[in-house]
Amino acid sequence: MSEKSELIRQNEYIERLKQIVTDLSNKKGHAPTFAVITFGCQMNARDSEKLIGILEKAGFMNNGENEKSDFVLYNTCTVRDNANQKVYGRLGVLNGHKKKNPDMKIALCGCMMQEPSVIEKIRKSYPFVDLVFGTHNIFKFAELLVRMYESKGLIVDIWKDTDQIVEDLPVKRKYPFKSGINIMFGCNNFCSYCIVPYVRGRERSREPKDIIREIETLVADGVVEVMLLGQNVNSYGKNLENPISFAELLKEVEKIEGLRRIRFMTSHPKDLSDDLIEVMKHSKKICRHLHLPLQSGSSRILAQMNRRYTKEQYIALAKKIREEIPDIALTTDIIIGFPGETAEDVDETIDVIRQVQYDNAFTFIYSKRTGTPAAAMENQVDEAFAHEQFDRVLKVVQDTARERVSLLEGRIMEVLVEELNPHDDDLVTGRLSNNILVHFPGDSTLIGQILKVRLKECRGFYYYGERV
Ligand code: SAH
Ligand code: SF4
Ligand code: F3S
């Protein structure tokens, strides 16, 4: 079916859903409430905005993350096992709520649902779940909801992969002033530890004209900052009928009037081109931040991880970026405890952290993911050893980041104000171009504005500041 006619079909289901919502409202005396709870990365967060868009369009009432709602949806992540465990834990609690509210419906979607073993477990141990779908068919959400309300028993609809990209379904943004934009879906890299290519499918890029049109619409609706999303944005556009590079796409996005800031996630070091560095260097809108996942500083481990760069190549790349764009902040992801990793390998990782001087780094203990090549490796690392190494790395990350971030003390920089400080109502929280957070005195009227602040006091990864 063509993607246009699929859109028409789904809009018809939204209309049918509206009738179901009306019937439920008449029965209960109020519109049915919903909660969408999101685990995982920005991709999932963006998917949730699409799911919420459909629910609100159909007339459901947004109840935040209140799990005592008439409809609860978990959008799950499976990148590490602790993400899965959280979902199972919370499902147990949900069952209690459902016993008290017999009209309640429970649905699960997202990356975890793409694993057959998970589906088996839900069928067996969580029979109170009503609907399960995966990452490839979220555009069918309205249709699936209609089926759920019109039938009894668990509905499972999981696709192995898809080449369809359905445009123009409703979306409800979490922030009025900033938005994620999918520029591509899936991943073809198969890093040996990673489950994402198995649960998100093969790499597919959106047409540049669709991306530009979406951003233009967002800007007209008040968005000043966009984040272009893909598992490996540096390989964007290679497989389109009319190939275009990520650097070229950025140049087009830059031209959009009214757009103030451009971010993107994530860059794989192996595909980061000189053109991209050049475009970033001359851009007035691309933020001074690059997230460049290292994973390991040991060339031996990197080869086992199938990352396709060496320690030396990574350091040379980071150095080139810092030379060309001196005020850029570099952040990274690091995995500790990959099969066969020794203390010497971790020393190499620490050496890279010291040389590159990251502004922030996310460190993860390796988690064995069923079906990935690394899960079948025989030399899995002892957990206690991995935790020791993790602590060692974390200490260096914190020390170098503090040193690096504190270099900005006293400077005056622009922040985009994002929210009231959750711990102190007299403060607002904003983000610098380089992604560092700043808390400063202000009220909710400032949210969404780009303002100048003086960076007064560095607190490790963030600042206290004042408006100037
Ligand atoms: N596409 C992005 C990252 C996706 S997952 C990239 O390539 O950088 C986000 C991070 O989770 C990864 O960078 C990696 O550090 C971590 N990660 C992925 N699989 C993992 C696993 N099995 N165990 C621990 N951390 C993992
Ligand atoms: Fe996973 Fe590697 Fe793809 Fe990132 S690039 S999503 S780490 S396989
Ligand atoms: Fe998790 Fe899926 Fe993102 S596994 S990290 S939510 S792509």
Side-chain angles (χ1 to χ4, degrees):
M1 186 178 303
S2 86
E3 280 138 24
K4 267 256 150 48
S5 55
E6 184 59 44
L7 176 67
I8 294 168
R9 229 168 76 85
Q10 292 309 316
N11 278 329
E12 284 165 6
Y13 277 108
I14 292 177
E15 290 309 312
R16 272 174 71 179
L17 204 51
K18 281 183 183 164
Q19 188 53 51
I20 293 172
V21 168
T22 307
D23 294 346
L24 284 169
S25 304
N26 290 340
K27 182 174 162 196
K28 294 183 86 78
H30 64 80
T33 55
F34 77 85
V36 173
I37 290 130
T38 312
F39 301 82
C41 64
Q42 281 97 343
M43 294 275 177
N44 259 21
R46 183 63 178 159
D47 285 349
S48 287
E49 292 185 343
K50 297 176 185 172
L51 298 163
I52 293 172
I54 289 171
L55 286 164
E56 290 195 349
K57 183 114 193 239
F60 285 85
M61 200 158 66
N62 196 336
N63 202 10
E65 296 202 343
N66 185 346
E67 283 156 294
K68 286 181 187 156
S69 294
D70 298 314
F71 176 68
V72 176
L73 172 64
Y74 286 161
N75 187 7
T76 63
C77 168
T78 187
V79 76
R80 288 170 290 276
D81 188 53
N82 52 9
N84 298 45
Q85 293 316 320
K86 263 189 231 158
V87 170
Y88 290 130
R90 287 176 80 156
L91 267 179
V93 181
L94 268 196
N95 193 20
H97 298 329
K98 188 166 181 173
K99 282 187 181 141
K100 291 189 197 124
N101 176 5
D103 291 331
M104 183 179 175
K105 299 279 183 194
I106 298 174
L108 302 170
C109 68
C111 295
M112 209 176 137
M113 301 306 129
Q114 293 293 138
E115 291 180 90
S117 62
V118 170
I119 304 301
E120 249 169 69
K121 185 164 172 165
I122 289 164
R123 282 190 196 280
K124 225 167 87 198
S125 311
Y126 301 89
F128 52 88
V129 172
D130 300 287
L131 168 66
V132 173
F133 57 102
T135 55
H136 301 301
N137 54 347
I138 71 161
F139 65 84
K140 272 182 66 182
F141 184 45
E143 177 179 350
L144 291 167
L145 282 173
V146 169
R147 271 176 61 197
M148 179 186 80
Y149 278 108
E150 288 182 348
S151 59
K152 281 207 166 61
L154 173 64
I155 293 169
V156 177
D157 191 359
I158 310 284
W159 298 6
K160 273 201 150 50
D161 209 341
T162 185
D163 51 11
Q164 242 176 323
I165 300 178
V166 181
E167 302 281 352
D168 298 330
L169 280 161
V171 185
K172 171 67 194 228
R173 290 196 310 280
K174 186 169 173 198
Y175 299 96
F177 52 89
K178 70 169 186 176
S179 180
I181 316 276
N182 300 106
I183 62 165
M184 58 204 297
F185 302 92
C187 181
N188 285 352
N189 286 309
F190 291 96
C191 301
S192 66
Y193 50 82
C194 184
I195 200 163
V196 171
Y198 305 88
V199 296
R200 285 272 170 181
R202 293 294 64 71
E203 201 174 280
R204 323 176 281 292
S205 296
R206 281 177 74 195
E207 287 293 340
K209 66 168 178 14
D210 291 334
I211 297 169
I212 299 295
R213 192 166 49 106
E214 184 179 355
I215 301 176
E216 283 171 347
T217 311
L218 288 167
V219 169
D221 195 35
V223 164
V224 289
E225 178 180 299
V226 291
M227 177 169 303
L228 310 180
L229 298 172
Q231 294 299 348
N232 177 15
V233 292
N234 295 328
S235 66
Y236 169 78
K238 285 185 181 156
N239 299 324
L240 286 172
E241 213 172 305
N242 298 307
I244 159 171
S245 71
F246 180 55
E248 284 164 335
L249 176 73
L250 280 174
K251 280 203 235 168
E252 292 305 310
V253 177
E254 174 105 17
K255 287 182 197 154
I256 297 174
E257 231 166 284
L259 180 65
R260 303 279 301 273
R261 283 179 165 187
I262 305 166
R263 299 185 183 279
F264 53 84
M265 272 287 234
T266 301
S267 277
H268 195 305
K270 79 176 161 63
D271 297 315
L272 198 143
S273 68
D274 287 350
D275 283 351
L276 175 64
I277 301 176
E278 210 40 39
V279 169
M280 284 185 84
K281 180 177 170 175
H282 297 291
S283 167
K284 295 210 166 28
K285 296 184 180 172
I286 302 174
C287 288
R288 283 347 201 191
H289 172 221
L290 188 66
H291 185 64
L292 196 60
L294 168 68
Q295 313 301 3
S296 167
S298 155
S299 295
R300 189 179 73 83
I301 295 293
L302 284 169
Q304 294 287 307
M305 286 177 160
N306 192 32
R307 288 292 287 179
R308 285 170 280 180
Y309 53 84
T310 62
K311 175 187 182 188
E312 289 70 29
Q313 284 167 330
Y314 183 97
I315 292 176
L317 176 63
K319 220 171 134 194
K320 181 157 71 180
I321 295 166
R322 280 228 194 276
E323 272 166 18
E324 294 294 324
I325 316 169
D327 55 349
I328 201 162
L330 291 176
T331 57
T332 202
D333 291 342
I334 291 166
I335 298 175
I336 304 293
F338 182 84
E341 189 176 60
T342 63
E344 288 71 38
D345 292 314
V346 177
D347 287 342
E348 302 268 5
T349 300
I350 289 177
D351 184 43
V352 178
I353 300 168
R354 292 221 163 95
Q355 289 200 45
V356 174
Q357 292 274 306
Y358 294 106
D359 291 77
N360 203 349
F362 301 94
T363 38
F364 306 108
I365 299 262
Y366 167 73
S367 172
K368 191 171 164 177
R369 307 317 287 135
T370 310
T372 61
M377 292 179 184
E378 274 167 12
N379 44 359
Q380 302 288 322
V381 162
D382 174 68
E383 217 173 290
F385 174 77
H387 277 96
E388 259 170 52
Q389 301 304 313
F390 180 89
D391 291 344
R392 214 154 64 85
V393 171
L394 190 64
K395 174 92 182 50
V396 183
V397 164
Q398 284 169 343
D399 290 350
T400 48
R402 176 180 281 272
E403 220 172 282
R404 173 94 200 151
V405 174
S406 68
L407 292 177
L408 298 174
E409 209 160 278
R411 289 258 298 260
I412 293 173
M413 294 176 91
E414 280 188 340
V415 293
L416 169 57
V417 183
E418 296 196 342
E419 57 190 3
L420 280 180
N421 186 307
H423 307 292
D424 183 347
D425 271 0
D426 296 329
L427 297 177
V428 289
T429 299
R431 218 174 269 274
L432 300 176
S433 163
N434 63 17
N435 212 35
I436 292 172
L437 287 178
V438 187
H439 309 289
F440 63 99
D443 58 37
S444 59
T445 58
L446 303 181
I447 293 172
Q449 295 188 38
I450 295 181
L451 302 169
K452 285 209 160 80
V453 291
R454 179 177 289 108
L455 305 176
K456 278 174 56 180
E457 190 189 337
C458 175
R459 287 285 183 95
F461 300 115
Y462 61 91
Y463 266 98
Y464 281 109
E466 66 186 0
R467 263 183 92 178
V468 290

